[in-house]
Amino acid sequence: MNKPVLDPAPRTYAPHVYLLDRSVRGPACAPETLSLDALHAWLLHEATRIDNVMLMFEEFMWRCRAAGLAIDRATLHIGTLHPRVIGFSWVWNSQDRLCDEVAADANASKTEAFTRNPLSLVINEGQTIKVDLESEEGAGSAPLMRELADEGYTSYVALPLSSSHEKRNAMTLATRRPGGFPAVEKEYIRGLIDLLALHIERHIVQRIARNVADTYLGPIAGRRVLDGEIRRGDGQAIRAVVLMSDMRGFTQLADRLSGPEVTMILNAYFDRVSDAILSHGGDILKFMGDGVLAVFDQKALGEAAAANAAVKASRAALAAIDAFNENPPDGLPDPSLWHPLKIGIGLHHGEVFFGNVGGEERLDFTVIGRAVNETSRVESLCKPLGQELLLTEPVRAALSGELQTSLNAMGEHALRGVGKPVAIYSA
């Protein structure tokens, strides 16, 4: 999840479910009153121009209320392709007037909050579930049903939405009206939900495309590709701090371990380095064997902020590797074959071309240029200089405060392919 996790108060969510976004517009986002025909027309026209699922869903629910439909609580659930997230949900309630976007990680489907929720039968088996919360049998059928009954809800419905994926999308509705949903409204509601499902399918395709692009290209490159930068040569020159990380002794490690074991060690290394980079605003462009190439965009972050973030991210990565060495997780290969894990990080600042390169039918979105090559040369000095983190004078000059004054000068060094020796600092 690239979005920061928010405090869900005054709401609470089950374990492994995280609040990503919240709208507090309330009923003001919809007309005070409107006809069912007008609600139907809105779904066919205006709703198609809303590109945010949370805002569209929130407005849809308030428009349902304005049309007199007896819906007091609703949730929307979709599956996705994402390395950490199995699905997204949107939760609307007319009582607290909030609409939340939440994400569920892979462990959420194993919790009792999901397995004992009627929603699991909808998502896994495609069932439609109707629960009479005014009866003791219905209220006692699941922990959530008891909670809703105690809050005054009288009826709960969970139904599948059309989906081309193995795991079905779903929507739930609940009402406080005595006797549940009026029979005359059920047909209207079903027809409206069928229209809403078409919008949801469109948003799912777009979200999955963004997730895949972000996962394999990074958020910046992924966004540019989806915006249409897919021709060879498309891109732009940017000024950035370039980070290159490399694992020490990888060749020998690969000789001692099997392929799956090497992958386990690499993933542990990449996890810690990439988390540090992403949490400090960097963009990872490529995993190259045992190397990581990332940039901190000066235009997006600011010159000093980009340099500061790159140094902080590098130090965080090194600290994470140290913690990993001190307490290796269970399940890894025999430590005598790889421990301790050592890495080197080089930082350099300059102009790079950020865009598409490659063959006509197979492109790569990456950075190229002298600054990239020079960063590689700087990183290669880590081993002979006995340092874990080295940076060049342009990066040092852009740093602020203690980050600059805490550096140690390592002298000037010749970099292969660079005419003049370059001043190098350890951090």
Side-chain angles (χ1 to χ4, degrees):
M1 289 174 289
N2 294 323
K3 289 184 176 181
V5 175
L6 307 176
D7 181 356
R11 291 180 174 178
T12 59
Y13 289 104
H16 306 290
V17 176
Y18 310 96
L19 176 64
L20 301 182
D21 203 358
R22 168 172 287 170
S23 177
V24 296
R25 296 184 301 169
C29 69
E32 291 186 11
T33 61
L34 78 165
S35 66
L36 288 170
D37 286 343
L39 176 54
H40 187 275
W42 176 82
L43 279 171
L44 288 175
H45 302 289
E46 289 94 332
T48 63
R49 295 190 286 271
I50 303 175
D51 60 5
N52 182 298
V53 178
M54 179 182 67
L55 299 182
M56 182 191 68
F57 182 58
E58 177 189 35
E59 185 171 344
F60 171 70
M61 296 317 307
W62 284 116
R63 284 177 176 268
C64 286
R65 294 275 296 183
L69 299 178
I71 306 173
D72 296 296
R73 179 186 184 273
T75 64
L76 177 64
H77 308 267
I78 66 170
T80 192
L81 291 176
H82 191 282
R84 294 187 180 183
V85 177
I86 61 170
F88 296 93
S89 299
W90 292 266
V91 183
W92 170 86
N93 192 307
S94 66
Q95 301 301 302
D96 62 17
R97 300 186 171 193
L98 302 177
C99 187
D100 287 350
E101 177 179 318
V102 299
D105 68 27
N107 293 313
S109 62
K110 304 172 186 177
T111 64
E112 187 177 90
F114 178 76
T115 58
R116 296 189 62 188
N117 188 329
L119 182 65
S120 64
L121 298 175
V122 181
I123 292 175
N124 292 328
E125 301 178 18
Q127 296 186 27
T128 295
I129 305 296
K130 300 177 182 179
V131 183
D132 178 6
L133 299 175
E134 292 181 306
S135 70
E136 182 55 34
E137 179 183 2
S141 62
L144 177 60
M145 299 302 101
R146 173 60 67 188
E147 180 182 327
L148 293 178
D150 290 344
E151 292 176 2
Y153 292 94
T154 60
S155 183
Y156 171 91
V157 179
L159 63 162
L161 301 180
S162 60
S163 175
S164 58
H165 308 289
E166 179 181 351
K167 297 295 185 181
R168 296 163 182 84
N169 305 316
M171 186 171 180
T172 75
L173 305 169
T175 182
R176 293 170 176 265
R177 180 174 292 181
F181 292 101
V184 70
E185 291 185 6
K186 292 180 180 178
E187 186 175 346
Y188 285 122
I189 293 174
R190 178 72 256 191
L192 292 170
I193 290 175
D194 286 342
L195 276 178
L196 179 68
L198 298 177
H199 289 288
I200 299 307
E201 285 291 322
R202 172 174 61 90
H203 284 287
I204 289 172
V205 171
Q206 293 173 343
R207 185 176 287 260
I208 288 176
R210 288 198 302 270
N211 289 343
V212 172
D214 287 353
T215 299
Y216 285 94
L217 298 176
I220 297 176
R223 184 167 58 251
R224 289 182 175 177
V225 169
L226 291 177
D227 285 343
E229 290 187 26
I230 60 173
R231 292 187 301 274
R232 186 167 56 172
D234 278 352
Q236 66 182 95
I238 65 170
R239 295 195 65 80
V241 176
V242 183
L243 178 152
M244 197 166 289
S245 172
D246 186 69
M247 186 188 298
R248 294 283 168 262
F250 177 72
T251 301
Q252 292 78 9
L253 182 147
D255 289 339
R256 293 192 295 268
L257 300 175
S258 67
E261 289 175 330
V262 172
T263 300
M264 292 174 65
I265 298 299
L266 277 176
N267 284 339
Y269 154 58
F270 287 145
D271 270 346
R272 285 152 181 81
V273 174
S274 62
D275 283 350
I277 292 170
L278 294 174
S279 65
H280 287 83
D283 191 38
I284 298 172
L285 300 179
K286 196 179 297 295
F287 296 103
M288 309 169 294
D290 63 325
V292 180
L293 173 64
V295 293
F296 294 79
D297 188 352
Q298 177 181 318
K299 182 177 180 180
L301 300 174
E303 182 176 4
N308 294 343
V311 171
K312 290 178 181 178
S314 300
R315 288 176 172 175
L318 292 170
I321 294 296
D322 287 342
F324 171 77
N325 286 327
E326 292 175 8
N327 188 24
D330 295 333
L332 292 176
D334 182 352
S336 66
L337 299 177
W338 61 268
H339 189 277
L341 201 63
K342 295 182 179 180
I343 70 171
I345 299 176
L347 300 177
H348 185 45
H349 180 278
E351 184 177 277
V352 296
F353 178 78
F354 194 40
N356 285 307
V357 297
E360 291 184 358
E361 299 296 330
R362 176 62 174 88
L363 297 174
D364 190 14
F365 205 104
T366 188
V367 291
I368 57 175
R370 289 184 57 187
V372 177
N373 298 332
E374 291 168 8
T375 305
S376 177
R377 309 287 188 262
V378 172
E379 187 280 323
S380 68
L381 290 174
C382 287
K383 185 175 181 179
L385 293 180
Q387 301 295 323
E388 294 180 311
L389 172 58
L390 294 176
L391 54 90
T392 60
E393 170 60 29
V395 180
R396 185 207 68 81
L399 290 171
S400 57
E402 185 272 337
L403 288 175
Q404 185 180 89
T405 58
S406 65
L407 301 178
N408 296 312
M410 304 297 292
E412 293 188 342
H413 294 265
L415 302 180
R416 183 164 55 90
V418 179
K420 296 181 179 180
V422 177
I424 300 293
Y425 300 84
S426 67

